[in-house]
Amino acid sequence: MRVTDTLSDIQAGLAVRAPAMIVTIYGDIVVPRGGVLWMGTLVEICAGLGISETLVRTAVSRLVAAGQLVGERHGRRSYYGLAPGARTEFAAAARLLYGPQSSACGFLIHHAPGVDDETVRRAGLGRMGPDLYLRPDRPENVPVPGLAFRAEVVKEAALLSGYVATLWDLQSFADAYRAVIDLFSPLAAALHEGEVLRPADAVSARLLLVQAYRAVLLRDPRLPSNALPADWPGIAARRLFSGLYRKISPLADEYIGTHFEGRDGSLPTRTDEVIARLQSLARDTDI
């Protein structure tokens, strides 16, 4: 079957690591359905992605040690949910992935003495000079200590895209978006032509889609549209993600509701948050 071969190609094209995939599983499946998952279900999901039980258990132990997951036992079963400190991070990532897409309102010039490299990366700052950064002006910006000044291009606006390319490696983001498009477009085409995924494969396909797109989106500083090159592939990647996610979800959600278990029994097929995500993605242009 063509769609099965396509899914195999996607899996082969992604370097799926257990810790990152478990984060994706919690963000996409578990958090909007109560936040707690039975270890046996987690092992089952990962097996469908070629990740062994040993790797899953090792990764879970590391995520617990890192303060992202917390475990509890009920009888002979182990369950894991998000640690309180991880909820804010997961919520921010979910807003980017599934929430309405907003354009940055220009730029801020940020004077941030002594800011560490990890904060620079997470906040999407472009280094202009010692302790001085340019960043997109958007409400959901990661807080950074220091002084921020609103920037305005007063002349030669046509030079803006060339200037920001000296501060951010836009080519690397463009290449990463194109890689997502190249990897998942064959699956979208096969489904459009009437091919059908098995329900369990729909879960795997959606997780791989989220994993691949999330990896680029969370690194992308998401600059204002007038600062981006023409034909920016991030737009096409978003359309592909939104359309394919919604196409796969009915089968995936049905399988989740009949096969996956949380602390209180079977996970629900749909919740208000699951529905809200799909409605938000429906506002994006179809593939």
Side-chain angles (χ1 to χ4, degrees), residues 179-195:
V180 172
I181 294 168
D182 290 345
L183 199 57
F184 287 92
S185 288
L187 177 60
L191 295 177
H192 182 72
E193 293 170 8
E195 292 275 356

mmCIF file of all heavy atoms in Angstrom, residues 179-195:
data_model
loop_
_atom_site.group_PDB
_atom_site.id
_atom_site.type_symbol
_atom_site.label_atom_id
_atom_site.label_comp_id
_atom_site.label_asym_id
_atom_site.label_seq_id
_atom_site.Cartn_x
_atom_site.Cartn_y
_atom_site.Cartn_z
ATOM 1 N N ALA A 179 12.433 20.713 4.399
ATOM 2 C CA ALA A 179 12.599 19.292 4.702
ATOM 3 C C ALA A 179 11.292 18.700 5.229
ATOM 4 O O ALA A 179 10.921 17.566 4.879
ATOM 5 C CB ALA A 179 13.727 19.097 5.714
ATOM 6 N N VAL A 180 10.587 19.444 6.074
ATOM 7 C CA VAL A 180 9.280 18.988 6.565
ATOM 8 C C VAL A 180 8.307 18.842 5.397
ATOM 9 O O VAL A 180 7.580 17.841 5.288
ATOM 10 C CB VAL A 180 8.724 19.969 7.618
ATOM 11 C CG1 VAL A 180 7.279 19.608 7.980
ATOM 12 C CG2 VAL A 180 9.587 19.964 8.872
ATOM 13 N N ILE A 181 8.291 19.822 4.511
ATOM 14 C CA ILE A 181 7.398 19.776 3.352
ATOM 15 C C ILE A 181 7.716 18.570 2.474
ATOM 16 O O ILE A 181 6.812 17.828 2.061
ATOM 17 C CB ILE A 181 7.504 21.089 2.552
ATOM 18 C CG1 ILE A 181 6.965 22.257 3.374
ATOM 19 C CG2 ILE A 181 6.751 20.969 1.223
ATOM 20 C CD1 ILE A 181 7.285 23.623 2.796
ATOM 21 N N ASP A 182 8.993 18.369 2.190
ATOM 22 C CA ASP A 182 9.391 17.252 1.324
ATOM 23 C C ASP A 182 9.044 15.906 1.960
ATOM 24 O O ASP A 182 8.681 14.953 1.256
ATOM 25 C CB ASP A 182 10.901 17.310 1.058
ATOM 26 C CG ASP A 182 11.298 18.476 0.165
ATOM 27 O OD1 ASP A 182 10.393 19.064 -0.467
ATOM 28 O OD2 ASP A 182 12.497 18.811 0.126
ATOM 29 N N LEU A 183 9.147 15.823 3.281
ATOM 30 C CA LEU A 183 8.931 14.554 3.974
ATOM 31 C C LEU A 183 7.452 14.188 4.052
ATOM 32 O O LEU A 183 7.083 13.018 3.911
ATOM 33 C CB LEU A 183 9.533 14.639 5.383
ATOM 34 C CG LEU A 183 9.824 13.325 6.122
ATOM 35 C CD1 LEU A 183 10.749 12.428 5.309
ATOM 36 C CD2 LEU A 183 10.435 13.636 7.483
ATOM 37 N N PHE A 184 6.589 15.186 4.267
ATOM 38 C CA PHE A 184 5.176 14.884 4.525
ATOM 39 C C PHE A 184 4.248 15.141 3.345
ATOM 40 O O PHE A 184 3.099 14.689 3.366
ATOM 41 C CB PHE A 184 4.700 15.668 5.747
ATOM 42 C CG PHE A 184 5.248 15.128 7.043
ATOM 43 C CD1 PHE A 184 6.423 15.627 7.571
ATOM 44 C CD2 PHE A 184 4.593 14.095 7.706
ATOM 45 C CE1 PHE A 184 6.947 15.116 8.754
ATOM 46 C CE2 PHE A 184 5.104 13.578 8.887
ATOM 47 C CZ PHE A 184 6.282 14.084 9.418
ATOM 48 N N SER A 185 4.710 15.842 2.310
ATOM 49 C CA SER A 185 3.851 16.078 1.151
ATOM 50 C C SER A 185 3.398 14.784 0.474
ATOM 51 O O SER A 185 2.230 14.686 0.056
ATOM 52 C CB SER A 185 4.563 16.979 0.141
ATOM 53 O OG SER A 185 4.638 18.299 0.624
ATOM 54 N N PRO A 186 4.258 13.755 0.349
ATOM 55 C CA PRO A 186 3.774 12.505 -0.255
ATOM 56 C C PRO A 186 2.633 11.863 0.532
ATOM 57 O O PRO A 186 1.705 11.309 -0.072
ATOM 58 C CB PRO A 186 5.023 11.612 -0.261
ATOM 59 C CG PRO A 186 6.167 12.573 -0.304
ATOM 60 C CD PRO A 186 5.728 13.719 0.549
ATOM 61 N N LEU A 187 2.673 11.945 1.864
ATOM 62 C CA LEU A 187 1.576 11.393 2.659
ATOM 63 C C LEU A 187 0.299 12.192 2.434
ATOM 64 O O LEU A 187 -0.790 11.616 2.266
ATOM 65 C CB LEU A 187 1.955 11.401 4.141
ATOM 66 C CG LEU A 187 0.870 10.917 5.109
ATOM 67 C CD1 LEU A 187 0.464 9.478 4.806
ATOM 68 C CD2 LEU A 187 1.354 11.048 6.557
ATOM 69 N N ALA A 188 0.416 13.526 2.424
ATOM 70 C CA ALA A 188 -0.755 14.353 2.165
ATOM 71 C C ALA A 188 -1.352 14.042 0.794
ATOM 72 O O ALA A 188 -2.579 13.961 0.638
ATOM 73 C CB ALA A 188 -0.370 15.830 2.263
ATOM 74 N N ALA A 189 -0.488 13.853 -0.203
ATOM 75 C CA ALA A 189 -0.970 13.552 -1.555
ATOM 76 C C ALA A 189 -1.667 12.196 -1.598
ATOM 77 O O ALA A 189 -2.718 12.041 -2.239
ATOM 78 C CB ALA A 189 0.202 13.582 -2.537
ATOM 79 N N ALA A 190 -1.091 11.198 -0.921
ATOM 80 C CA ALA A 190 -1.693 9.863 -0.914
ATOM 81 C C ALA A 190 -3.070 9.887 -0.260
ATOM 82 O O ALA A 190 -4.019 9.269 -0.759
ATOM 83 C CB ALA A 190 -0.767 8.885 -0.179
ATOM 84 N N LEU A 191 -3.209 10.601 0.851
ATOM 85 C CA LEU A 191 -4.505 10.680 1.522
ATOM 86 C C LEU A 191 -5.509 11.459 0.671
ATOM 87 O O LEU A 191 -6.697 11.126 0.633
ATOM 88 C CB LEU A 191 -4.341 11.338 2.888
ATOM 89 C CG LEU A 191 -3.490 10.555 3.904
ATOM 90 C CD1 LEU A 191 -3.349 11.343 5.201
ATOM 91 C CD2 LEU A 191 -4.099 9.187 4.189
ATOM 92 N N HIS A 192 -5.035 12.489 -0.009
ATOM 93 C CA HIS A 192 -5.909 13.277 -0.881
ATOM 94 C C HIS A 192 -6.450 12.421 -2.023
ATOM 95 O O HIS A 192 -7.591 12.631 -2.488
ATOM 96 C CB HIS A 192 -5.145 14.476 -1.432
ATOM 97 C CG HIS A 192 -5.964 15.376 -2.302
ATOM 98 N ND1 HIS A 192 -6.942 16.211 -1.801
ATOM 99 C CD2 HIS A 192 -5.956 15.574 -3.650
ATOM 100 C CE1 HIS A 192 -7.504 16.866 -2.789
ATOM 101 N NE2 HIS A 192 -6.932 16.505 -3.924
ATOM 102 N N GLU A 193 -5.666 11.457 -2.465
ATOM 103 C CA GLU A 193 -6.075 10.584 -3.567
ATOM 104 C C GLU A 193 -6.886 9.388 -3.097
ATOM 105 O O GLU A 193 -7.231 8.517 -3.894
ATOM 106 C CB GLU A 193 -4.834 10.124 -4.332
ATOM 107 C CG GLU A 193 -4.131 11.261 -5.075
ATOM 108 C CD GLU A 193 -2.783 10.855 -5.626
ATOM 109 O OE1 GLU A 193 -2.454 9.639 -5.571
ATOM 110 O OE2 GLU A 193 -2.045 11.732 -6.111
ATOM 111 N N GLY A 194 -7.206 9.327 -1.810
ATOM 112 C CA GLY A 194 -8.100 8.281 -1.318
ATOM 113 C C GLY A 194 -7.445 7.149 -0.571
ATOM 114 O O GLY A 194 -8.126 6.223 -0.116
ATOM 115 N N GLU A 195 -6.116 7.172 -0.442
ATOM 116 C CA GLU A 195 -5.454 6.151 0.369
ATOM 117 C C GLU A 195 -5.912 6.293 1.824
ATOM 118 O O GLU A 195 -6.253 7.391 2.285
ATOM 119 C CB GLU A 195 -3.941 6.318 0.290
ATOM 120 C CG GLU A 195 -3.341 6.008 -1.076
ATOM 121 C CD GLU A 195 -3.050 4.526 -1.262
ATOM 122 O OE1 GLU A 195 -3.245 3.760 -0.293
ATOM 123 O OE2 GLU A 195 -2.646 4.142 -2.365
#
